Amino acid sequence: MAKNKKPLQWSSKADTAAHEHNKQVLKRVRHQLRVDDTSPLVKRLKKWSPTDLLQLLTALPLPEARKLFALLPIRPSTKILAELYPDFRAELLKDGTTARLVEILNTMKENDLADTLDEFPQSLLDIVVPQLDARAEIEERIRHGEDTAGRLMSRKFVAFHEDYTAGKAIAAIKSQYDLVGRFRTVFVVDAKHRLVGRLDVTRLLTLEPKTRIGDVMDANVLAVSAEMDQEDVLRKAAKRQISSMPVIDSDGKLIGRITTEQMNQIVREELSEDLMLMGGVSPEARPTDSVRRIIKGRLPWLMTGLIGSAVAALVVGSFEDELEKAAILAAFIPVIMSMAGNSGLQASAVAVQGIATGSIWTGSTLFRLWKEFCGAISNGFIAGSVLTVLISIGAILFEIHDPVWLALTAALSLVIVTTVAAMVGATVPVVLDKIGIDPAAATGVFITTSNDVLGVLVYFTTASFLYL
């Protein structure tokens, strides 16, 4: 590397200067790859963060990205492999040897490894999995469906027979501490390895050495099946405030546990998925999607919104006579539609979050809807009052026909649409959840377009009675 050149470093800034700097970095890297001057290049790249390396790899042409990736040491390659978008990762490794890929995968922790393999095509899994050190664990995990407790769970847990004494259990933990890792709960099983109870580690340490753990365990233990959806697992854990959820098979045998870290992972995944759905985008969408995938993933949602908007336009058109009598009514259509959409989205977002975390259950539905109703009608009255004041000020500055009745019409419409939209937004996600449809799909396009139609209909109906 020439001495007069600045140190090779990627810039994470988003300004023009950073863009030009990264173009020069890219040019230097490509030159060193072409002339096979790779030793100083790799030495320098070892000091880069995985994020910067990932940005560099995605900026390089694919053949050069493959070449550079093969030169990187195992540890950085592992972190990069876990972060690369699925399609790009598959292409990046297409020409690589299976041995190199297996070498990288064998350095990963089991959970990271499983998450990475989830993104691989089946043809590649058939080649790679039989060569992995953790083959048995991975094959067992893959056997369970996606987003299930069995796919997510850790197979490292501490369990003792109910006849164990506290002293014997503590001695066993000490002798195998390096294997068990961190844990807060000891599970208790019977002679057939069926889960019968649990015991807090703090409680275990305070017992007399000769105390039988089966006599002091908590027999009221909550467990989930390996095939339970991960979102349902999160709800059950939230209700009981459990930090470590045991997983059992169809015979009630203990086969794993879901840790606090894994539950947090579920929360992040579900939140990310819900945010994508609420924005009218498929959860599988990626920044690197091709034009075809962008069209396929977004066009259905856009068409749904188009149909809803067209219906709203037809509703407006059906009140053509009213608009001819008082054109000023058209000025408040965006206000009514905006308030309806926002009110519905707010209520539906809270409902989706409550369903995801388990804080909404059947017995609380009516009480929650009553609170939503009271909150929405209060917000509507406040917003209507503000709108009344604005119309009154406007009547001073401009000539407005019958401003008092116009203000009353707009304010009353605002109260009604805000309340109705909030009730729709709070109810639809719960109904969809009951019939097995992801409630996050209720937000975004569906709630907004339906409330637009309702808002316009309510507004012109009210205007027909009060203003015209």
Side-chain angles (χ1 to χ4, degrees), residues 67-111:
K67 183 176 180 179
L68 179 59
F69 184 77
L71 294 170
L72 293 175
I74 294 298
R75 187 168 295 175
S77 297
T78 301
K79 293 180 180 179
I80 293 168
L81 187 66
E83 294 295 329
L84 282 172
Y85 297 118
D87 291 345
F88 186 80
R89 176 170 51 205
E91 288 297 320
L92 190 66
L93 294 168
K94 190 177 291 183
D95 291 357
T97 62
T98 304
R100 166 68 176 174
L101 179 56
V102 170
E103 186 181 11
I104 293 173
L105 295 174
N106 278 335
T107 65
M108 290 184 170
K109 294 180 180 179
E110 184 182 331
N111 288 334

mmCIF file of all heavy atoms in Angstrom, residues 67-111:
data_model
loop_
_atom_site.group_PDB
_atom_site.id
_atom_site.type_symbol
_atom_site.label_atom_id
_atom_site.label_comp_id
_atom_site.label_asym_id
_atom_site.label_seq_id
_atom_site.Cartn_x
_atom_site.Cartn_y
_atom_site.Cartn_z
ATOM 1 N N LYS A 67 -14.159 -13.289 -3.949
ATOM 2 C CA LYS A 67 -12.710 -13.433 -3.772
ATOM 3 C C LYS A 67 -12.264 -12.853 -2.437
ATOM 4 O O LYS A 67 -11.490 -13.483 -1.700
ATOM 5 C CB LYS A 67 -11.988 -12.737 -4.925
ATOM 6 C CG LYS A 67 -10.462 -12.880 -4.874
ATOM 7 C CD LYS A 67 -9.821 -12.243 -6.101
ATOM 8 C CE LYS A 67 -8.293 -12.388 -6.054
ATOM 9 N NZ LYS A 67 -7.645 -11.782 -7.257
ATOM 10 N N LEU A 68 -12.766 -11.665 -2.107
ATOM 11 C CA LEU A 68 -12.381 -11.035 -0.852
ATOM 12 C C LEU A 68 -12.909 -11.814 0.343
ATOM 13 O O LEU A 68 -12.200 -12.017 1.328
ATOM 14 C CB LEU A 68 -12.924 -9.594 -0.813
ATOM 15 C CG LEU A 68 -12.619 -8.806 0.465
ATOM 16 C CD1 LEU A 68 -11.126 -8.702 0.707
ATOM 17 C CD2 LEU A 68 -13.252 -7.424 0.398
ATOM 18 N N PHE A 69 -14.141 -12.279 0.262
ATOM 19 C CA PHE A 69 -14.732 -13.027 1.367
ATOM 20 C C PHE A 69 -13.925 -14.289 1.675
ATOM 21 O O PHE A 69 -13.732 -14.659 2.831
ATOM 22 C CB PHE A 69 -16.176 -13.400 1.020
ATOM 23 C CG PHE A 69 -16.916 -14.096 2.137
ATOM 24 C CD1 PHE A 69 -17.409 -13.374 3.212
ATOM 25 C CD2 PHE A 69 -17.120 -15.460 2.105
ATOM 26 C CE1 PHE A 69 -18.086 -14.003 4.239
ATOM 27 C CE2 PHE A 69 -17.798 -16.101 3.121
ATOM 28 C CZ PHE A 69 -18.285 -15.370 4.194
ATOM 29 N N ALA A 70 -13.424 -14.954 0.627
ATOM 30 C CA ALA A 70 -12.631 -16.169 0.816
ATOM 31 C C ALA A 70 -11.299 -15.883 1.486
ATOM 32 O O ALA A 70 -10.722 -16.759 2.141
ATOM 33 C CB ALA A 70 -12.404 -16.848 -0.537
ATOM 34 N N LEU A 71 -10.810 -14.643 1.368
ATOM 35 C CA LEU A 71 -9.524 -14.279 1.964
ATOM 36 C C LEU A 71 -9.628 -13.868 3.425
ATOM 37 O O LEU A 71 -8.643 -13.899 4.156
ATOM 38 C CB LEU A 71 -8.897 -13.117 1.170
ATOM 39 C CG LEU A 71 -8.482 -13.417 -0.274
ATOM 40 C CD1 LEU A 71 -8.117 -12.119 -0.976
ATOM 41 C CD2 LEU A 71 -7.314 -14.392 -0.304
ATOM 42 N N LEU A 72 -10.820 -13.487 3.857
ATOM 43 C CA LEU A 72 -10.983 -12.982 5.218
ATOM 44 C C LEU A 72 -10.827 -14.096 6.239
ATOM 45 O O LEU A 72 -11.168 -15.249 5.973
ATOM 46 C CB LEU A 72 -12.364 -12.344 5.369
ATOM 47 C CG LEU A 72 -12.613 -11.069 4.565
ATOM 48 C CD1 LEU A 72 -14.066 -10.626 4.725
ATOM 49 C CD2 LEU A 72 -11.670 -9.961 5.009
ATOM 50 N N PRO A 73 -10.306 -13.765 7.438
ATOM 51 C CA PRO A 73 -10.184 -14.774 8.497
ATOM 52 C C PRO A 73 -11.561 -15.250 8.949
ATOM 53 O O PRO A 73 -12.567 -14.587 8.712
ATOM 54 C CB PRO A 73 -9.454 -14.026 9.619
ATOM 55 C CG PRO A 73 -9.685 -12.583 9.335
ATOM 56 C CD PRO A 73 -9.778 -12.462 7.850
ATOM 57 N N ILE A 74 -11.590 -16.394 9.605
ATOM 58 C CA ILE A 74 -12.846 -17.049 9.943
ATOM 59 C C ILE A 74 -13.775 -16.163 10.775
ATOM 60 O O ILE A 74 -14.952 -16.025 10.486
ATOM 61 C CB ILE A 74 -12.573 -18.363 10.707
ATOM 62 C CG1 ILE A 74 -11.881 -19.356 9.775
ATOM 63 C CG2 ILE A 74 -13.879 -18.966 11.220
ATOM 64 C CD1 ILE A 74 -12.682 -19.751 8.574
ATOM 65 N N ARG A 75 -13.260 -15.532 11.826
ATOM 66 C CA ARG A 75 -14.140 -14.808 12.747
ATOM 67 C C ARG A 75 -14.877 -13.649 12.065
ATOM 68 O O ARG A 75 -16.091 -13.539 12.171
ATOM 69 C CB ARG A 75 -13.359 -14.323 13.970
ATOM 70 C CG ARG A 75 -14.253 -13.711 15.035
ATOM 71 C CD ARG A 75 -13.503 -13.507 16.332
ATOM 72 N NE ARG A 75 -13.101 -14.784 16.899
ATOM 73 C CZ ARG A 75 -12.348 -14.901 17.989
ATOM 74 N NH1 ARG A 75 -11.910 -13.827 18.613
ATOM 75 N NH2 ARG A 75 -12.021 -16.092 18.455
ATOM 76 N N PRO A 76 -14.166 -12.751 11.366
ATOM 77 C CA PRO A 76 -14.917 -11.703 10.649
ATOM 78 C C PRO A 76 -15.880 -12.280 9.618
ATOM 79 O O PRO A 76 -16.970 -11.774 9.426
ATOM 80 C CB PRO A 76 -13.816 -10.873 9.984
ATOM 81 C CG PRO A 76 -12.612 -11.098 10.835
ATOM 82 C CD PRO A 76 -12.711 -12.522 11.281
ATOM 83 N N SER A 77 -15.476 -13.343 8.953
ATOM 84 C CA SER A 77 -16.337 -13.952 7.944
ATOM 85 C C SER A 77 -17.618 -14.478 8.574
ATOM 86 O O SER A 77 -18.698 -14.387 7.998
ATOM 87 C CB SER A 77 -15.605 -15.095 7.238
ATOM 88 O OG SER A 77 -14.478 -14.606 6.543
ATOM 89 N N THR A 78 -17.498 -15.025 9.767
ATOM 90 C CA THR A 78 -18.660 -15.554 10.471
ATOM 91 C C THR A 78 -19.665 -14.452 10.761
ATOM 92 O O THR A 78 -20.862 -14.597 10.527
ATOM 93 C CB THR A 78 -18.217 -16.208 11.796
ATOM 94 O OG1 THR A 78 -17.306 -17.258 11.519
ATOM 95 C CG2 THR A 78 -19.411 -16.770 12.543
ATOM 96 N N LYS A 79 -19.179 -13.337 11.288
ATOM 97 C CA LYS A 79 -20.073 -12.228 11.629
ATOM 98 C C LYS A 79 -20.721 -11.643 10.387
ATOM 99 O O LYS A 79 -21.901 -11.286 10.382
ATOM 100 C CB LYS A 79 -19.296 -11.152 12.386
ATOM 101 C CG LYS A 79 -18.818 -11.597 13.773
ATOM 102 C CD LYS A 79 -18.053 -10.489 14.475
ATOM 103 C CE LYS A 79 -17.588 -10.939 15.857
ATOM 104 N NZ LYS A 79 -16.812 -9.872 16.551
ATOM 105 N N ILE A 80 -19.943 -11.549 9.325
ATOM 106 C CA ILE A 80 -20.472 -11.002 8.078
ATOM 107 C C ILE A 80 -21.522 -11.938 7.496
ATOM 108 O O ILE A 80 -22.579 -11.514 7.039
ATOM 109 C CB ILE A 80 -19.334 -10.783 7.059
ATOM 110 C CG1 ILE A 80 -18.396 -9.679 7.566
ATOM 111 C CG2 ILE A 80 -19.894 -10.396 5.700
ATOM 112 C CD1 ILE A 80 -17.112 -9.585 6.790
ATOM 113 N N LEU A 81 -21.245 -13.231 7.523
ATOM 114 C CA LEU A 81 -22.158 -14.225 6.975
ATOM 115 C C LEU A 81 -23.511 -14.150 7.673
ATOM 116 O O LEU A 81 -24.562 -14.276 7.043
ATOM 117 C CB LEU A 81 -21.571 -15.630 7.129
ATOM 118 C CG LEU A 81 -22.333 -16.765 6.453
ATOM 119 C CD1 LEU A 81 -22.292 -16.620 4.954
ATOM 120 C CD2 LEU A 81 -21.780 -18.100 6.885
ATOM 121 N N ALA A 82 -23.494 -13.913 8.986
ATOM 122 C CA ALA A 82 -24.733 -13.839 9.749
ATOM 123 C C ALA A 82 -25.537 -12.590 9.414
ATOM 124 O O ALA A 82 -26.748 -12.563 9.591
ATOM 125 C CB ALA A 82 -24.424 -13.870 11.243
ATOM 126 N N GLU A 83 -24.879 -11.542 8.912
ATOM 127 C CA GLU A 83 -25.547 -10.273 8.648
ATOM 128 C C GLU A 83 -25.976 -10.090 7.193
ATOM 129 O O GLU A 83 -26.865 -9.312 6.906
ATOM 130 C CB GLU A 83 -24.623 -9.101 9.033
ATOM 131 C CG GLU A 83 -24.337 -9.004 10.520
ATOM 132 C CD GLU A 83 -25.585 -8.679 11.325
ATOM 133 O OE1 GLU A 83 -26.470 -7.988 10.786
ATOM 134 O OE2 GLU A 83 -25.680 -9.121 12.472
ATOM 135 N N LEU A 84 -25.316 -10.784 6.281
ATOM 136 C CA LEU A 84 -25.604 -10.591 4.858
ATOM 137 C C LEU A 84 -27.048 -10.932 4.525
ATOM 138 O O LEU A 84 -27.624 -11.859 5.079
ATOM 139 C CB LEU A 84 -24.680 -11.460 4.005
ATOM 140 C CG LEU A 84 -23.247 -10.960 3.809
ATOM 141 C CD1 LEU A 84 -22.420 -12.015 3.119
ATOM 142 C CD2 LEU A 84 -23.224 -9.673 3.005
ATOM 143 N N TYR A 85 -27.637 -10.164 3.635
ATOM 144 C CA TYR A 85 -28.987 -10.461 3.199
ATOM 145 C C TYR A 85 -29.007 -11.819 2.505
ATOM 146 O O TYR A 85 -28.073 -12.191 1.800
ATOM 147 C CB TYR A 85 -29.481 -9.369 2.253
ATOM 148 C CG TYR A 85 -29.561 -8.031 2.911
ATOM 149 C CD1 TYR A 85 -28.784 -6.961 2.463
ATOM 150 C CD2 TYR A 85 -30.388 -7.837 3.999
ATOM 151 C CE1 TYR A 85 -28.848 -5.728 3.092
ATOM 152 C CE2 TYR A 85 -30.452 -6.612 4.628
ATOM 153 C CZ TYR A 85 -29.692 -5.554 4.172
ATOM 154 O OH TYR A 85 -29.757 -4.343 4.794
ATOM 155 N N PRO A 86 -30.094 -12.595 2.694
ATOM 156 C CA PRO A 86 -30.140 -13.988 2.214
ATOM 157 C C PRO A 86 -29.761 -14.174 0.755
ATOM 158 O O PRO A 86 -28.947 -15.028 0.434
ATOM 159 C CB PRO A 86 -31.606 -14.371 2.471
ATOM 160 C CG PRO A 86 -32.024 -13.498 3.593
ATOM 161 C CD PRO A 86 -31.300 -12.204 3.401
ATOM 162 N N ASP A 87 -30.351 -13.375 -0.137
ATOM 163 C CA ASP A 87 -30.080 -13.569 -1.560
ATOM 164 C C ASP A 87 -28.614 -13.313 -1.891
ATOM 165 O O ASP A 87 -27.985 -14.051 -2.644
ATOM 166 C CB ASP A 87 -30.958 -12.632 -2.396
ATOM 167 C CG ASP A 87 -32.419 -13.023 -2.336
ATOM 168 O OD1 ASP A 87 -32.682 -14.154 -1.892
ATOM 169 O OD2 ASP A 87 -33.273 -12.220 -2.736
ATOM 170 N N PHE A 88 -28.059 -12.243 -1.307
ATOM 171 C CA PHE A 88 -26.667 -11.907 -1.575
ATOM 172 C C PHE A 88 -25.739 -12.962 -0.982
ATOM 173 O O PHE A 88 -24.742 -13.342 -1.590
ATOM 174 C CB PHE A 88 -26.341 -10.531 -0.990
ATOM 175 C CG PHE A 88 -24.961 -10.039 -1.345
ATOM 176 C CD1 PHE A 88 -24.711 -9.469 -2.579
ATOM 177 C CD2 PHE A 88 -23.903 -10.173 -0.461
ATOM 178 C CE1 PHE A 88 -23.448 -9.022 -2.919
ATOM 179 C CE2 PHE A 88 -22.636 -9.735 -0.778
ATOM 180 C CZ PHE A 88 -22.406 -9.160 -2.022
ATOM 181 N N ARG A 89 -26.075 -13.455 0.211
ATOM 182 C CA ARG A 89 -25.241 -14.457 0.862
ATOM 183 C C ARG A 89 -25.188 -15.735 0.034
ATOM 184 O O ARG A 89 -24.129 -16.336 -0.143
ATOM 185 C CB ARG A 89 -25.798 -14.759 2.255
ATOM 186 C CG ARG A 89 -25.046 -15.863 2.991
ATOM 187 C CD ARG A 89 -25.478 -15.934 4.444
ATOM 188 N NE ARG A 89 -26.909 -16.012 4.583
ATOM 189 C CZ ARG A 89 -27.574 -15.627 5.655
ATOM 190 N NH1 ARG A 89 -26.938 -15.108 6.679
ATOM 191 N NH2 ARG A 89 -28.875 -15.743 5.731
ATOM 192 N N ALA A 90 -26.345 -16.143 -0.488
ATOM 193 C CA ALA A 90 -26.376 -17.355 -1.309
ATOM 194 C C ALA A 90 -25.518 -17.197 -2.552
ATOM 195 O O ALA A 90 -24.790 -18.111 -2.946
ATOM 196 C CB ALA A 90 -27.822 -17.681 -1.698
ATOM 197 N N GLU A 91 -25.576 -16.021 -3.183
ATOM 198 C CA GLU A 91 -24.762 -15.763 -4.365
ATOM 199 C C GLU A 91 -23.284 -15.694 -4.014
ATOM 200 O O GLU A 91 -22.423 -16.182 -4.747
ATOM 201 C CB GLU A 91 -25.206 -14.452 -5.029
ATOM 202 C CG GLU A 91 -26.544 -14.530 -5.721
ATOM 203 C CD GLU A 91 -26.538 -15.511 -6.865
ATOM 204 O OE1 GLU A 91 -25.524 -15.561 -7.611
ATOM 205 O OE2 GLU A 91 -27.511 -16.262 -7.017
ATOM 206 N N LEU A 92 -22.985 -15.094 -2.888
ATOM 207 C CA LEU A 92 -21.595 -14.918 -2.473
ATOM 208 C C LEU A 92 -20.904 -16.267 -2.264
ATOM 209 O O LEU A 92 -19.727 -16.434 -2.553
ATOM 210 C CB LEU A 92 -21.557 -14.114 -1.172
ATOM 211 C CG LEU A 92 -20.196 -13.619 -0.693
ATOM 212 C CD1 LEU A 92 -19.630 -12.591 -1.646
ATOM 213 C CD2 LEU A 92 -20.300 -13.024 0.701
ATOM 214 N N LEU A 93 -21.662 -17.221 -1.752
ATOM 215 C CA LEU A 93 -21.074 -18.519 -1.420
ATOM 216 C C LEU A 93 -21.228 -19.554 -2.532
ATOM 217 O O LEU A 93 -20.760 -20.674 -2.394
ATOM 218 C CB LEU A 93 -21.736 -19.059 -0.143
ATOM 219 C CG LEU A 93 -21.457 -18.243 1.128
ATOM 220 C CD1 LEU A 93 -22.379 -18.680 2.245
ATOM 221 C CD2 LEU A 93 -20.007 -18.394 1.547
ATOM 222 N N LYS A 94 -21.878 -19.176 -3.601
ATOM 223 C CA LYS A 94 -22.180 -20.152 -4.653
ATOM 224 C C LYS A 94 -20.916 -20.810 -5.204
ATOM 225 O O LYS A 94 -20.883 -22.006 -5.450
ATOM 226 C CB LYS A 94 -22.961 -19.475 -5.780
ATOM 227 C CG LYS A 94 -23.524 -20.439 -6.798
ATOM 228 C CD LYS A 94 -24.341 -19.708 -7.845
ATOM 229 C CE LYS A 94 -25.617 -19.169 -7.252
ATOM 230 N NZ LYS A 94 -26.467 -18.515 -8.285
ATOM 231 N N ASP A 95 -19.900 -20.026 -5.415
ATOM 232 C CA ASP A 95 -18.671 -20.562 -5.996
ATOM 233 C C ASP A 95 -17.685 -21.079 -4.948
ATOM 234 O O ASP A 95 -16.668 -21.660 -5.289
ATOM 235 C CB ASP A 95 -17.960 -19.475 -6.825
ATOM 236 C CG ASP A 95 -18.737 -19.126 -8.076
ATOM 237 O OD1 ASP A 95 -19.772 -19.772 -8.312
ATOM 238 O OD2 ASP A 95 -18.321 -18.210 -8.786
ATOM 239 N N GLY A 96 -17.976 -20.804 -3.670
ATOM 240 C CA GLY A 96 -17.046 -21.205 -2.618
ATOM 241 C C GLY A 96 -17.073 -22.702 -2.410
ATOM 242 O O GLY A 96 -18.042 -23.388 -2.731
ATOM 243 N N THR A 97 -16.033 -23.221 -1.847
ATOM 244 C CA THR A 97 -16.001 -24.658 -1.574
ATOM 245 C C THR A 97 -16.853 -24.961 -0.351
ATOM 246 O O THR A 97 -17.004 -24.145 0.550
ATOM 247 C CB THR A 97 -14.563 -25.115 -1.290
ATOM 248 O OG1 THR A 97 -14.084 -24.453 -0.130
ATOM 249 C CG2 THR A 97 -13.651 -24.795 -2.462
ATOM 250 N N THR A 98 -17.394 -26.165 -0.324
ATOM 251 C CA THR A 98 -18.211 -26.577 0.813
ATOM 252 C C THR A 98 -17.378 -26.595 2.087
ATOM 253 O O THR A 98 -17.866 -26.247 3.169
ATOM 254 C CB THR A 98 -18.800 -27.980 0.552
ATOM 255 O OG1 THR A 98 -19.532 -27.958 -0.668
ATOM 256 C CG2 THR A 98 -19.710 -28.393 1.689
ATOM 257 N N ALA A 99 -16.122 -26.977 1.959
ATOM 258 C CA ALA A 99 -15.246 -27.047 3.134
ATOM 259 C C ALA A 99 -15.095 -25.679 3.789
ATOM 260 O O ALA A 99 -15.115 -25.558 5.016
ATOM 261 C CB ALA A 99 -13.872 -27.588 2.731
ATOM 262 N N ARG A 100 -14.938 -24.639 2.986
ATOM 263 C CA ARG A 100 -14.803 -23.283 3.524
ATOM 264 C C ARG A 100 -16.082 -22.865 4.252
ATOM 265 O O ARG A 100 -16.037 -22.311 5.344
ATOM 266 C CB ARG A 100 -14.505 -22.307 2.381
ATOM 267 C CG ARG A 100 -14.669 -20.834 2.708
ATOM 268 C CD ARG A 100 -13.638 -20.330 3.687
ATOM 269 N NE ARG A 100 -13.796 -18.891 3.897
ATOM 270 C CZ ARG A 100 -13.119 -18.184 4.784
ATOM 271 N NH1 ARG A 100 -12.247 -18.792 5.558
ATOM 272 N NH2 ARG A 100 -13.303 -16.888 4.912
ATOM 273 N N LEU A 101 -17.215 -23.154 3.656
ATOM 274 C CA LEU A 101 -18.493 -22.796 4.260
ATOM 275 C C LEU A 101 -18.705 -23.550 5.574
ATOM 276 O O LEU A 101 -19.121 -22.961 6.581
ATOM 277 C CB LEU A 101 -19.627 -23.105 3.290
ATOM 278 C CG LEU A 101 -21.046 -22.820 3.777
ATOM 279 C CD1 LEU A 101 -21.181 -21.374 4.217
ATOM 280 C CD2 LEU A 101 -22.054 -23.130 2.683
ATOM 281 N N VAL A 102 -18.426 -24.836 5.571
ATOM 282 C CA VAL A 102 -18.583 -25.638 6.790
ATOM 283 C C VAL A 102 -17.650 -25.138 7.880
ATOM 284 O O VAL A 102 -18.022 -25.078 9.063
ATOM 285 C CB VAL A 102 -18.316 -27.130 6.488
ATOM 286 C CG1 VAL A 102 -18.237 -27.940 7.775
ATOM 287 C CG2 VAL A 102 -19.403 -27.688 5.577
ATOM 288 N N GLU A 103 -16.436 -24.742 7.497
ATOM 289 C CA GLU A 103 -15.467 -24.218 8.463
ATOM 290 C C GLU A 103 -16.009 -22.976 9.150
ATOM 291 O O GLU A 103 -15.885 -22.814 10.371
ATOM 292 C CB GLU A 103 -14.159 -23.900 7.736
ATOM 293 C CG GLU A 103 -13.019 -23.477 8.662
ATOM 294 C CD GLU A 103 -11.752 -23.151 7.895
ATOM 295 O OE1 GLU A 103 -11.803 -23.057 6.649
ATOM 296 O OE2 GLU A 103 -10.716 -22.965 8.538
ATOM 297 N N ILE A 104 -16.626 -22.097 8.375
ATOM 298 C CA ILE A 104 -17.208 -20.873 8.937
ATOM 299 C C ILE A 104 -18.394 -21.207 9.837
ATOM 300 O O ILE A 104 -18.507 -20.715 10.970
ATOM 301 C CB ILE A 104 -17.649 -19.927 7.806
ATOM 302 C CG1 ILE A 104 -16.425 -19.414 7.044
ATOM 303 C CG2 ILE A 104 -18.457 -18.752 8.359
ATOM 304 C CD1 ILE A 104 -16.781 -18.616 5.803
ATOM 305 N N LEU A 105 -19.277 -22.059 9.376
ATOM 306 C CA LEU A 105 -20.483 -22.400 10.138
ATOM 307 C C LEU A 105 -20.156 -23.090 11.455
ATOM 308 O O LEU A 105 -20.853 -22.896 12.454
ATOM 309 C CB LEU A 105 -21.408 -23.280 9.286
ATOM 310 C CG LEU A 105 -21.995 -22.628 8.035
ATOM 311 C CD1 LEU A 105 -22.766 -23.657 7.211
ATOM 312 C CD2 LEU A 105 -22.896 -21.467 8.406
ATOM 313 N N ASN A 106 -19.097 -23.890 11.476
ATOM 314 C CA ASN A 106 -18.734 -24.611 12.691
ATOM 315 C C ASN A 106 -18.225 -23.693 13.804
ATOM 316 O O ASN A 106 -18.122 -24.119 14.955
ATOM 317 C CB ASN A 106 -17.677 -25.678 12.388
ATOM 318 C CG ASN A 106 -18.288 -26.950 11.829
ATOM 319 O OD1 ASN A 106 -19.460 -27.238 12.080
ATOM 320 N ND2 ASN A 106 -17.515 -27.698 11.068
ATOM 321 N N THR A 107 -17.892 -22.448 13.465
ATOM 322 C CA THR A 107 -17.438 -21.511 14.493
ATOM 323 C C THR A 107 -18.599 -20.772 15.154
ATOM 324 O O THR A 107 -18.413 -20.065 16.128
ATOM 325 C CB THR A 107 -16.478 -20.467 13.896
ATOM 326 O OG1 THR A 107 -17.181 -19.656 12.944
ATOM 327 C CG2 THR A 107 -15.293 -21.137 13.235
ATOM 328 N N MET A 108 -19.812 -20.939 14.614
ATOM 329 C CA MET A 108 -20.977 -20.212 15.126
ATOM 330 C C MET A 108 -21.600 -20.899 16.330
ATOM 331 O O MET A 108 -21.520 -22.123 16.482
ATOM 332 C CB MET A 108 -22.048 -20.090 14.034
ATOM 333 C CG MET A 108 -21.692 -19.165 12.907
ATOM 334 S SD MET A 108 -23.102 -19.022 11.761
ATOM 335 C CE MET A 108 -22.544 -17.682 10.730
ATOM 336 N N LYS A 109 -22.239 -20.077 17.181
ATOM 337 C CA LYS A 109 -23.052 -20.630 18.253
ATOM 338 C C LYS A 109 -24.284 -21.287 17.641
ATOM 339 O O LYS A 109 -24.713 -20.931 16.544
ATOM 340 C CB LYS A 109 -23.484 -19.528 19.218
ATOM 341 C CG LYS A 109 -22.330 -18.893 19.979
ATOM 342 C CD LYS A 109 -22.834 -17.807 20.921
ATOM 343 C CE LYS A 109 -21.678 -17.178 21.683
ATOM 344 N NZ LYS A 109 -22.140 -16.093 22.596
ATOM 345 N N GLU A 110 -24.878 -22.222 18.386
ATOM 346 C CA GLU A 110 -25.968 -23.014 17.826
ATOM 347 C C GLU A 110 -27.125 -22.147 17.335
ATOM 348 O O GLU A 110 -27.647 -22.355 16.240
ATOM 349 C CB GLU A 110 -26.491 -24.011 18.863
ATOM 350 C CG GLU A 110 -27.575 -24.933 18.320
ATOM 351 C CD GLU A 110 -28.121 -25.886 19.366
ATOM 352 O OE1 GLU A 110 -27.367 -26.249 20.297
ATOM 353 O OE2 GLU A 110 -29.297 -26.253 19.257
ATOM 354 N N ASN A 111 -27.540 -21.149 18.128
ATOM 355 C CA ASN A 111 -28.674 -20.314 17.735
ATOM 356 C C ASN A 111 -28.353 -19.481 16.498
ATOM 357 O O ASN A 111 -29.181 -19.355 15.587
ATOM 358 C CB ASN A 111 -29.089 -19.395 18.892
ATOM 359 C CG ASN A 111 -29.766 -20.166 20.013
ATOM 360 O OD1 ASN A 111 -30.350 -21.209 19.799
ATOM 361 N ND2 ASN A 111 -29.681 -19.639 21.222
#
